[in-house]
Amino acid sequence: MHRIGRTGRADKSGVAITLVAEREQGLLANIEGMMQVEIPRVPLPDAVEISEVLTPDEMPKVSMPNIQVKNTVDIQTNAAFHEKKEKNKKTNSKVRHVEKMKKKYKRPKTRGQKRK
């Protein structure tokens, strides 16, 4: 369905032409039912030639997904695999706060003698 022109707005009149294909007649009937107005129909003049050639915009769009495929590397040659350098082999070890304090102060600080 294709509408050409301008409908009336703000109590002003307007003229619009709607081109409807035979397969869209049901849609037009639904629109008329919602608006509760029968849209007048005028047949297409015989002098109008209908082309079967599609414009570039009317051509169906074919899109192929671009799938990335990983290259398989022969593991026997070790071409893509190597050992880490010594500086990159280091791991972070978690040290608790209490352990840091023991190392820094040699013995934990107390707040006076404990009562029995």
Side-chain angles (χ1 to χ4, degrees), residues 4 16-17 22 25 30 51-53 61 63 81 92 114:
I4 303 168
I17 299 172
E22 287 181 28
Q25 291 295 327
N30 290 344
S51 173
E52 296 293 325
V53 178
K61 305 284 189 271
S63 63
F81 303 98
N92 294 332
K114 292 184 180 179

Side-chain angles (χ1 to χ4, degrees), residues 1 3 6-8 14-18 20 26-41:
M1 211 177 300
R3 195 183 101 216
R6 180 183 174 102
T7 57
V15 177
I17 299 172
T18 303
V20 182
L27 297 173
L28 182 62
N30 290 344
I31 292 170
E32 289 176 334
M34 281 193 319
M35 292 177 18
Q36 298 178 354
V37 172
E38 184 176 341
I39 299 172
R41 289 168 175 75

